[in-house]
Amino acid sequence: MKQGTKIITLDNGYHLWTNTQGTGDIHLLAMHGGPGGTHEYWEDTAKQLKKQGLNVQVHMYDQLGSWYSDSPDFSDPKVANDILNYDYFLDEVEAVRQKLGIDQFYLIGQSWGGALVQMYAAKYGDHLKGAIISSMVDRIDDYTENLNKVREEALTPEQLAYMKECEAKNDYDNEKYQACVDILNKGYIDRKQPPAISHLVDTMNTDVYGAFQGDNEFVVTGKLKDWNFTDRLKDIKVPTLVTFGEHETMPIATGKRMAEMIPNAKFVSTPNGGHHHMIDNAPVYYDHLATFIKEVEAGTFNK
C-alpha cells in the first residue's frame, strides 16, 4: 500500500483523512482518543516498531469531526443524533478498514480509541489478528474512582474543593479551574509535554469531546459516564494486549482484571508513563507492542 495521505469518502458522504506509514505485510490500524482528538501520537509508530525489528504498515486516521477529517454541523440535532453515539464510531472503524482494503490486521486504540477496540473486537473480530487496548477501562466507574484518588494526590485540599465547587455549578471556563486541570494534565496525561504535539490553535473538537467526556479528562459528564463493557469482554476472542501507563488516570488494577477476563490477553504497563505513554516512554511502550505482534505472528502468544 502506498505510504502517505489518502482521503476516503464514507458512504454517508463525509470525508476522512487517513495516512499510512511503514512497509511490510503486517497491518496495524491506529485509533486516537478524545473523542475529538487527533492521530498525531501515532505518527512515528512505524518508525518505533522498526527500531524493534518489526516492519509494519501503520494506518491512522482522524475520526469524523476530528482535525483533518470533515466536521459535521453538530448544532443540527439530527446530525448530532446520527453521529454522536457509540454505534456510529464503531461502524466507522469497519468502514475505514474496508475503504483501505485491509484485513487480518491489528487494531490499536488509546483511551476512547481503546473503547472502540473493545467494541470492534467483540463485533468484527473475524477481521483481526490481534487487539491492543491502550489506556482504557471496560467500565467507567473504575476510572472515576481513580480520578478521585488522582486529584487528592496531585492537588491541595483547597484546589480540589474549588474544582468540585465549579463542577457542581457547571462552571469550567475560568482561569483558576483550568489551572488545576493543567496540573493534572502534566502529572497524569502528558508527562513528557513534548512540543511536537503542541499547537498554536486548539485541535480538539469540543462538540464531540463534550458529548462523550465533558469539559476535561478529570470529569465525566457525557455519554461515557454510562460506559460499561465488562459483560462483553468474554466476546473478544483474538489475542489481546492491555497496556496502561504506570502513572496515569486509568487504574492499573482494572487493566490487570480486564486481561484476566478477556479469554486470551496479557497486561503490561509502561514505567513513568502517563495516559499518553507511547510518548512518555516510547522505547518500553513499543517494545511491549512489538513483542506482542511478534508472538502473535509466530503463534506463540499465550495468556
Side-chain angles (χ1 to χ4, degrees):
M1 186 175 292
K2 185 179 178 181
Q3 292 190 13
T5 297
K6 179 181 180 180
I7 305 299
I8 62 174
T9 303
L10 300 174
D11 292 346
N12 58 18
Y14 290 113
H15 302 89
L16 297 185
W17 178 96
T18 77
N19 187 275
T20 296
Q21 298 292 326
T23 59
D25 297 327
I26 300 171
H27 295 267
L28 174 70
L29 179 60
M31 295 183 297
H32 64 73
T38 81
H39 69 280
E40 290 173 291
Y41 43 76
W42 300 124
E43 287 179 337
D44 68 339
T45 296
K47 290 182 178 178
Q48 293 287 355
L49 290 173
K50 191 167 187 178
K51 290 179 184 178
Q52 302 290 340
L54 197 60
N55 290 318
V56 178
Q57 288 193 56
V58 178
H59 313 278
M60 63 203 95
Y61 72 101
D62 285 339
Q63 297 158 25
L64 189 63
S66 293
W67 202 214
Y68 293 137
S69 292
D70 282 353
S71 186
D73 179 8
F74 292 116
S75 67
D76 182 330
K78 184 181 187 309
V79 171
N81 184 67
D82 289 347
I83 295 173
L84 297 179
N85 60 76
Y86 291 107
D87 287 342
Y88 170 78
F89 284 102
L90 168 59
D91 290 337
E92 183 183 82
V93 182
E94 173 60 7
V96 170
R97 180 198 72 79
Q98 292 179 20
K99 298 291 183 180
L100 291 180
I102 59 175
D103 205 351
Q104 294 307 296
F105 66 105
Y106 295 87
L107 184 65
I108 187 170
Q110 188 268 344
S111 195
W112 157 254
L116 294 176
V117 170
Q118 293 174 55
M119 292 187 287
Y120 187 93
K123 183 176 181 179
Y124 296 108
D126 288 347
H127 295 293
L128 294 178
K129 283 186 174 181
I132 304 97
I133 302 166
S134 187
S135 295
M136 185 60 191
V137 295
D138 58 328
R139 59 191 185 206
I140 206 66
D141 286 352
D142 289 21
Y143 173 67
T144 52
E145 287 175 11
N146 196 55
L147 285 183
N148 292 331
K149 296 177 184 177
V150 162
R151 301 207 300 184
E152 288 174 358
E153 291 173 0
L155 301 174
T156 67
E158 292 76 19
Q159 288 172 325
L160 180 57
Y162 184 78
M163 286 195 81
K164 291 181 177 179
E165 179 183 335
C166 290
E167 289 158 8
K169 296 186 295 185
N170 200 31
D171 174 24
Y172 303 102
D173 192 19
N174 68 78
E175 187 173 331
K176 187 175 177 181
Y177 181 86
Q178 293 301 327
C180 294
V181 172
D182 193 46
I183 291 171
L184 295 167
N185 280 334
K186 289 178 179 177
Y188 297 90
I189 305 298
D190 294 309
R191 289 172 61 78
K192 196 172 180 180
Q193 294 284 297
I197 60 168
S198 298
H199 296 274
L200 297 177
V201 296
D202 188 2
T203 62
M204 178 68 72
N205 187 313
T206 53
D207 289 328
V208 183
Y209 186 78
F212 286 91
Q213 174 78 18
D215 176 80
N216 62 78
E217 291 293 286
F218 303 93
V219 57
V220 185
T221 56
K223 294 179 181 180
L224 278 167
K225 69 180 184 297
D226 299 317
W227 168 250
N228 191 322
F229 203 72
T230 305
D231 290 344
R232 296 291 310 281
L233 292 181
K234 66 182 185 302
D235 299 326
I236 300 176
K237 306 298 186 184
V238 298
T240 302
L241 183 69
V242 182
T243 174
F244 284 23
E246 279 192 348
H247 198 75
E248 68 152 292
T249 50
M250 302 289 172
I252 295 288
T254 294
K256 292 179 178 179
R257 175 184 54 73
M258 289 169 66
E260 288 296 320
M261 296 184 71
I262 295 170
N264 190 18
K266 286 183 180 178
F267 174 82
V268 294
S269 60
T270 304
N272 301 314
H275 197 45
H276 293 142
H277 44 127
M278 74 289 289
I279 293 173
D280 294 330
N281 192 346
V284 173
Y285 183 91
Y286 284 106
D287 174 64
H288 288 153
L289 179 54
T291 298
F292 169 71
I293 294 175
K294 289 175 183 177
E295 288 180 351
V296 175
E297 290 292 309
T300 59
F301 179 82
N302 291 298
K303 186 167 185 174

